[in-house]
């Protein structure tokens, strides 16, 4: 199911500031070469991530799910002068691709890429997060959220991607494993009283969460 009408998407992109050259290159490479290119954040969502980062002016960002590096570079644009972004990718090939783009960017020394299981790596990081972006395996969304929330500063933000999961969460009977996991995550967020939440129908659904 298309969550956003492609005509609306095209119109929105027309009136959204353009990507820089490196982001355009990442997008082209991913679309042409990656079997899961649909996982790319892309122009509209990438610009939204960039805007949120600029509004927050974070010192420490955590991204769970690097993919080919597009979203990390968008998020890094709002970092403070002494800021750092930690990003975690389980697939070594995608990590190598992302790292090659990070090395060519202005943010080479501001992005730390970790390769491996995010559930283990998150616990090893001793940072206090200002902004977290969750965009990894859907079965562990609740686990990721529960791990990062205690390390998120008060009034810090978490963004979770794919919370509409191709519209499958809107069905009367949710069949797919990933869709069921996302529905469980959405319900988990709904029940909490220690956060504020906003579900945005951007691309495949973004949940914006603020820690009270």
């Amino acid at each position: 199911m298309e969550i956003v009408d492609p005509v609306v998407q095209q119109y929105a992109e027309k009136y959204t500031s353009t990507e820089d050259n490196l982001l355009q290159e990442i997008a082209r490479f991913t679309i042409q070469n990656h079997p899961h290119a649909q996982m790319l954040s892309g122009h509209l969502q990438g610009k939204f991530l960039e805007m949120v980062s600029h509004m927050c002016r974070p010192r420490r960002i955590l991204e769970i799910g690097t993919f080919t590096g597009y979203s990390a570079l968008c998020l890094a644009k709002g970092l403070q002068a002494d800021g750092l972004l930690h990003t975690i990718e389980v697939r070594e090939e995608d990590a190598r691709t992302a790292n090659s783009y990070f090395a060519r960017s202005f943010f080479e020394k501001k992005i730390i890429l970790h390769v491996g299981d995010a559930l283990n790596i998150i616990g090893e990081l001793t940072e206090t997060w200002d902004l977290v972006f969750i965009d990894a395996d859907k079965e562990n969304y609740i686990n990721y959220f529960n791990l990062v929330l205690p390390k998120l500063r008060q009034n810090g933000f978490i963004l979770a991607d794919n919370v509409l999961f191709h519209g499958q969460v809107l069905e009367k009977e949710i069949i797919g494993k990933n869709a069921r996991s996302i529905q469980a995550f959405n319900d988990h967020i709904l029940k909490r009283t220690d956060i504020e939440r906003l579900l945005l129908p951007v691309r495949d659904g973004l949940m914006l969460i603020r820690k009270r």
Side-chain angles (χ1 to χ4, degrees):
M1 176 190 295
E2 290 282 358
I3 301 300
V4 179
D5 188 319
V7 176
V8 174
Q9 177 84 11
Q10 185 178 23
Y11 186 87
E13 290 183 359
K14 176 181 177 181
Y15 287 95
T16 296
S17 298
T18 57
E19 307 155 290
D20 63 40
N21 290 337
L22 185 58
L23 289 176
Q24 290 179 18
E25 184 179 335
I26 297 171
R28 282 195 303 269
F29 173 85
T30 305
I31 291 166
Q32 292 171 5
N33 296 281
H34 204 290
H36 303 295
Q38 76 280 357
M39 293 166 57
L40 183 80
S41 286
H43 177 199
L44 198 64
Q45 181 173 302
K47 186 58 67 173
F48 178 79
L49 296 176
E50 177 186 334
M51 291 285 198
V52 168
S53 186
H54 275 292
M55 287 187 281
C56 295
R57 297 296 294 149
R59 289 189 66 252
R60 293 295 183 267
I61 300 174
L62 174 64
E63 177 184 56
I64 307 170
T66 314
F67 195 44
T68 53
Y70 189 104
S71 52
L73 288 173
C74 292
L75 289 163
K77 292 185 178 185
L79 281 169
Q80 293 187 32
D82 62 344
L84 291 173
L85 183 151
H86 291 259
T87 183
I88 305 171
E89 177 54 52
V90 70
R91 293 176 293 269
E92 292 186 4
E93 184 175 353
D94 287 344
R96 284 194 297 270
T97 299
N99 222 15
S100 71
Y101 289 118
F102 296 159
R104 295 169 51 199
S105 78
F106 175 79
F107 305 103
E108 178 184 8
K109 299 186 184 304
K110 291 180 173 289
I111 298 177
I112 301 170
L113 175 59
H114 306 267
V115 183
D117 186 341
L119 293 175
N120 296 326
I121 293 170
I122 292 168
E124 296 170 356
L125 300 175
T126 57
E127 303 282 11
T128 297
W129 307 114
D130 302 298
L131 177 61
V132 177
F133 182 42
I134 302 174
D135 187 16
D137 57 302
K138 310 314 169 194
E139 290 180 271
N140 277 308
Y141 264 40
I142 292 176
N143 293 329
Y144 295 142
F145 174 84
N146 290 339
L147 278 172
V148 300
L149 189 67
K151 297 184 174 186
L152 186 71
R153 68 166 173 81
Q154 186 177 8
N155 291 316
F157 288 92
I158 297 172
L159 277 162
D161 198 11
N162 305 115
V163 293
L164 293 176
F165 204 74
H166 316 304
Q168 292 179 31
V169 296
L170 307 176
E171 302 293 337
K172 290 183 179 178
E173 182 181 1
I174 302 173
I175 298 172
K177 176 180 67 175
N178 286 331
R180 289 199 303 270
S181 297
I182 288 295
Q183 184 61 52
F185 171 77
N186 292 343
D187 288 337
H188 181 72
I189 297 302
L190 181 66
K191 294 173 184 175
R192 298 195 68 107
T193 59
D194 52 352
I195 58 170
E196 294 284 340
R197 61 192 182 274
L198 172 65
L199 198 160
L200 296 164
V202 176
R203 195 164 172 267
D204 196 29
L206 277 170
M207 183 79 79
L208 179 61
I209 300 162
R210 181 181 67 84
K211 183 178 180 179
R212 287 181 169 172

